[in-house]
């Protein structure tokens, strides 16, 4: 019995040693499973002699030439602008009638607004001045349109007879000409034209139906233009102030300065163009009247309207007058009409436009031709009429904003010394600060000529 405790003690000691060995093995296993941190070697062995040399690759941005990077930066910005213009053109095309009516109202407002201002300066209320000016302007334009239609209806029979006589005269001239044209060939041409008209009767009928739609749209546009003119004449300043609230605050000051200059440019363009068109229509109409060309008054009105499309309008209206003179009279009369038209247009281009418009609306002839072509492609005749004043106004606005931006980047002018305090007697008679006009912001001397030149709408 005395050996049992000793045996139990040995068994306990053996179990304790076994537990210690198990703990030691578990710790060793965990140590073996733990990742060993890699340490950089003290030295990297050199590559063998037979290994090819590999140069380090440069940064991809640095590998692109500077010019290509600049071209890429400019290209994606141009693509964004092109996309914006495309969306804008699609929107304008969807509401073309409203846009053209508002543009017509804006041009009529630029023509009538000086009359409203003159009546206001002579004591007439703004509402009454606006109503009188608008009614007088629209009545005058309606009377001119009625007079043209009346003249055409009065002379249409005589013109038809003269056109028939002219065609017969042309036929006799072709038969006697050295081109060896036979009567059978002329009859074949006439038969071909007649067959073409007969085979296209459906198209002509559909064109007539489309003409009715065009008349409805024209009347709608006239009504919209009249309402636009009335509201622009009466509330133009309020509309402009509301528009300024849509501009970001950082750019509001520059836009507020460019707006009045753009309006002065538009007003100078419209009034100058109307005056030049009146002179052209008057002198060419007198020439047609003295040369006994029929429809002299409607042709003069057409020449007046054509003057609103620079270069192209004068060419088309003058060519129409020459063709009417050739068909209704003779070759000598047509040559005389051509001389009259060319003479008046030369006086217009070299005397009237430089003297009347001056440098207020200076646009290069190439810009005029391109703008008229683009405007006619986008919106037809209305686009051709609006294109040149739009380019002139844009030129004025860009010139002013460029000068304004250059002025903002100049260093601030030095602070002036404060004026000496006035004597008590002088201070008692001096006006209060609230009565004084606010002082204009100081402009650096180097920037004043640029702002003055861009601000008057001459560039």
């Amino acid at each position: 019995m005395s050996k049992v405790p000793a045996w139990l003690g040995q068994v306990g000691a053996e179990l304790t040693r076994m537990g210690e060995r198990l703990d030691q093995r578990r710790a060793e296993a965990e140590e073996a499973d733990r990742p060993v941190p890699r340490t950089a070697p003290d030295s990297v062995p050199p590559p063998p002699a037979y290994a090819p040399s590999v140069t380090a690759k440069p940064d991809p941005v640095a590998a692109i030439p500077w010019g290509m990077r600049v071209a890429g930066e400019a290209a994606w910005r141009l693509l964004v602008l092109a996309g914006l213009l495309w969306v804008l053109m699609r929107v304008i095309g969807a509401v073309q009638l409203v846009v053209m009516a508002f543009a017509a109202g804006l041009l009529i407002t630029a023509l009538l607004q000086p009359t409203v201002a003159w009546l206001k300066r002579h004591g007439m209320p703004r509402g009454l001045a606006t109503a009188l000016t608008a009614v007088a302007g629209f009545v005058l334009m309606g009377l001119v349109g009625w007079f043209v239609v009346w003249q055409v209806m009065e002379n249409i029979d005589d013109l038809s007879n003269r056109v028939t006589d002219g065609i017969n005269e042309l036929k006799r001239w072709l038969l006697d000409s050295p081109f060896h044209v036979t009567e059978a060939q002329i009859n074949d041409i006439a038969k071909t034209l007649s067959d073409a008209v007969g085979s296209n009767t459906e198209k002509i009928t559909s064109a007539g139906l489309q003409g009715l739609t065009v008349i409805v749209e024209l009347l709608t546009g006239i009504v919209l233009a009249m309402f636009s003119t009335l509201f622009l004449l009466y509330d133009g300043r309020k509309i402009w102030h509301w528009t300024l609230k849509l501009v970001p605050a950082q750019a509001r000051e520059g836009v507020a300065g460019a707006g009045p200059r753009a309006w002065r440019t538009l007003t100078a363009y419209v009034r100058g163009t109307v005056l030049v068109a009146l002179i052209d229509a008057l002198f060419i109409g007198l020439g047609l009247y003295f040369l006994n060309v029929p429809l002299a008054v409607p042709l003069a009105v057409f020449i007046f309207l054509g003057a609103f499309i620079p270069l192209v309008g004068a060419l088309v209206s003058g060519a129409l007058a020459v063709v009417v003179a050739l068909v209704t009279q003779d070759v000598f009369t047509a040559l005389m009409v051509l001389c009259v038209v060319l003479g008046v247009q030369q006086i217009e281009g070299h005397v009237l436009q430089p003297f009347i418009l001056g440098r207020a609306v200076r646009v290069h002839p190439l810009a005029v031709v391109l703008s008229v072509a683009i405007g006619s492609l986008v919106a037809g005749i209305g686009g051709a009429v609006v294109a040149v004043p739009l380019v002139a106004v844009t030129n004025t606005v860009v010139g002013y904003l460029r000068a304004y931006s250059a002025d903002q980047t100049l260093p601030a002018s030095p602070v002036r010394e404060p004026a000496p305090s006035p004597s008590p007697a002088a201070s008692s008679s001096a006006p209060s600060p609230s009565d004084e006009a606010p002082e204009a912001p100081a402009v650096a001397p180097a920037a004043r000529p640029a702002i003055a030149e861009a601000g008057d709408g001459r560039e």
Side-chain angles (χ1 to χ4, degrees), residues 18 24 36 89 100 113-114 169 184 199 223 265 299 309 318 338 360 420 424 449:
M18 290 176 62
Q24 185 178 0
V36 180
M89 289 296 102
M100 296 308 300
Q113 192 269 337
E169 183 67 25
S199 60
V223 173
T265 300
L299 287 175
I309 305 176
L338 179 62

Side-chain angles (χ1 to χ4, degrees), residues 378-393:
V378 173
I381 297 177
V385 173
V386 177
V388 177
L390 179 62
V391 171
V393 169

Side-chain angles (χ1 to χ4, degrees), residues 150-162 295:
W150 174 63
Q151 285 290 314
V152 172
M153 296 302 295
E154 285 290 325
N155 295 275
I156 190 66
D157 295 333
D158 183 42
L159 181 63
S160 176
N161 295 330
R162 293 196 181 189
L295 298 178

Side-chain angles (χ1 to χ4, degrees), residues 201-215:
T201 304
E202 296 181 357
K203 294 183 179 179
I204 295 175
T205 304
S206 63
L209 296 176
Q210 290 179 359
L212 295 176
T213 305
V214 169
I215 292 175

Side-chain angles (χ1 to χ4, degrees), residues 34-59:
R34 184 181 302 171
V36 180
R38 298 180 179 180
T39 58
D42 296 337
S43 61
V44 179
Y50 57 85
S53 60
V54 179
T55 58
K57 294 183 179 180
D59 187 7

Side-chain angles (χ1 to χ4, degrees), residues 237-263:
R237 188 179 297 274
K238 293 181 181 179
I239 294 173
W240 170 244
H241 289 167
W242 177 83
T243 305
L244 284 178
K245 295 179 182 179
L246 303 178
V247 180
Q250 293 81 2
R252 191 171 299 165
E253 184 177 356
V255 174
R261 290 163 176 82
W263 181 250

Side-chain angles (χ1 to χ4, degrees), residues 217-233:
E217 291 181 354
L218 180 62
L219 294 177
T220 305
I222 291 174
V223 173
L224 289 176
M226 292 175 61
F227 275 100
S228 301
T229 302
L230 286 173
F231 285 111
L232 288 173
L233 285 174

